Amino acid sequence: KPFIGLKMMLQMLPKLTPAQTRNYSEDLDISIRKVDAMLTDIMEASRKMKYELVPQNILTILDLAIKGVSRYPPNKNIDFYYDLDIVALIALDEQRMCRTFENIIDNAFGFLPDKGGIIWFSIKEKNNKAEIIIGNIHSHIPEDKINKIFQDKFTLGKKSGTGVGLSIATKVIKGHNGSITVKNVQNAPGFVPENIRNIQGVEFTISLPLTKQPGYSLKDSLFKNSEEAKATLGMVKKESPLAGSL
């Protein structure tokens, strides 16, 4: 899909005015970065990765991933719902973790029916870790395959993709001293509207350690119910293209 998007952008360039070209350059740059990230994923699938871990806001990384994936939206009506209790500071390799979230979100896109559906996000504190949940309805993983889904080149029949996305996601998360699991669910969580909640789906749960540094308390990294958290969450809902329907 990124290659298709990049090709479409290049085909559009001759038709644009100089002013439009300048505005278009940001999208083109993001597309090139996305293709580069995909090729890097493939090359690094069998390599030992080196991570540049810097304390960052997990919400910012998630927002970047949503924006990145939304540049190639499927022809489906998709609603996003959020339950973001904390804005957590985590030591992350921004590029790799962003790509990890993109892989999981894109995977959810791929298994929604043509009519569309919903995807939800949850971030909570649990045992001094940030628990990030990404789920979608209208999906089900057969029980005899659910333990294989993170294996290299394993696929459940998606029409596109490299077949290594979730295995690399697992590798990246473990490289951040975290964990990832997946399960089938009978319905969406309580923050999803009741009239569309009672449909089976799939949830990915990612657990990552919260940052603790000298002179920096764990409490400072959790802006619970603070104005800063509200402002940040408000920013995400306004700017994220997928905060609503595609």
Side-chain angles (χ1 to χ4, degrees):
K1 284 185 288 185
F3 292 97
I4 295 173
L6 183 58
K7 181 180 179 181
M8 291 174 62
M9 288 182 180
L10 291 173
Q11 290 174 339
M12 283 290 295
L13 279 176
K15 304 175 184 179
L16 302 178
T17 66
Q20 289 173 325
T21 300
R22 285 192 294 271
N23 294 332
Y24 210 61
S25 62
E26 181 181 353
D27 285 347
L28 187 58
D29 180 63
I30 290 174
S31 295
I32 292 172
R33 289 172 182 267
K34 193 173 181 72
V35 169
D36 180 67
M38 176 179 284
L39 294 175
T40 300
D41 277 353
I42 296 172
M43 290 187 294
E44 291 190 340
S46 59
R47 297 178 184 175
K48 184 176 181 180
M49 297 184 184
K50 295 181 180 180
Y51 301 95
E52 297 180 9
L53 304 181
V54 178
Q56 299 186 62
N57 184 339
I58 188 64
L59 194 59
T60 301
I61 306 302
L62 182 59
D63 189 44
L64 286 172
I66 292 172
K67 289 176 178 176
V69 174
S70 72
R71 294 186 182 277
Y72 310 96
N75 186 25
K76 300 176 182 179
N77 181 35
I78 299 174
D79 288 333
F80 270 3
Y81 293 90
Y82 303 93
D83 182 25
L84 310 174
D85 284 356
I86 63 171
V87 181
L89 194 67
I90 301 174
L92 299 171
D93 184 308
E94 178 181 323
Q95 181 178 353
R96 287 198 171 96
M97 189 55 68
C98 185
R99 179 65 182 150
T100 293
F101 285 145
E102 286 183 354
N103 279 334
I104 295 171
I105 298 168
D106 187 64
N107 190 71
F109 275 8
F111 284 104
L112 286 174
D114 291 340
K115 64 181 180 180
I118 64 171
I119 297 176
W120 60 87
F121 300 88
S122 171
I123 303 179
K124 300 179 182 296
E125 178 198 1
K126 189 174 183 180
N127 299 325
N128 291 340
K129 295 183 178 182
E131 183 182 82
I132 303 107
I133 294 176
I134 303 174
N136 65 279
I137 61 171
H138 294 304
S139 292
H140 179 80
I141 303 173
E143 293 300 326
D144 62 333
K145 295 182 178 179
I146 200 163
N147 292 326
K148 301 177 182 179
I149 196 168
F150 298 115
Q151 294 179 4
D152 188 23
K153 297 181 182 179
F154 180 80
T155 178
L156 286 171
K158 281 182 66 178
K159 296 178 181 178
S160 61
T162 61
V164 298
L166 289 180
S167 66
I168 293 174
T170 304
K171 192 174 182 180
V172 170
I173 291 166
K174 288 182 177 179
H176 286 72
N177 297 315
S179 63
I180 180 171
T181 59
V182 62
K183 66 178 181 180
N184 293 309
V185 294
Q186 293 303 310
N187 47 260
F191 58 89
V192 173
E194 186 174 0
N195 63 316
I196 55 175
R197 190 188 308 158
N198 298 321
I199 304 174
Q200 71 175 9
V202 170
E203 277 190 347
F204 287 86
T205 300
I206 301 163
S207 181
L208 295 169
L210 293 163
T211 296
K212 297 180 71 173
Q213 298 175 313
Y216 187 94
S217 70
L218 177 63
K219 186 177 179 181
D220 291 333
S221 72
L222 305 178
F223 306 113
K224 291 183 179 178
N225 301 318
S226 69
E227 291 304 315
E228 185 170 357
K230 292 176 183 177
T232 303
L233 302 187
M235 177 193 70
V236 171
K237 289 183 179 180
K238 289 178 183 177
E239 294 186 0
S240 192
L242 293 182
S245 298
L246 282 175

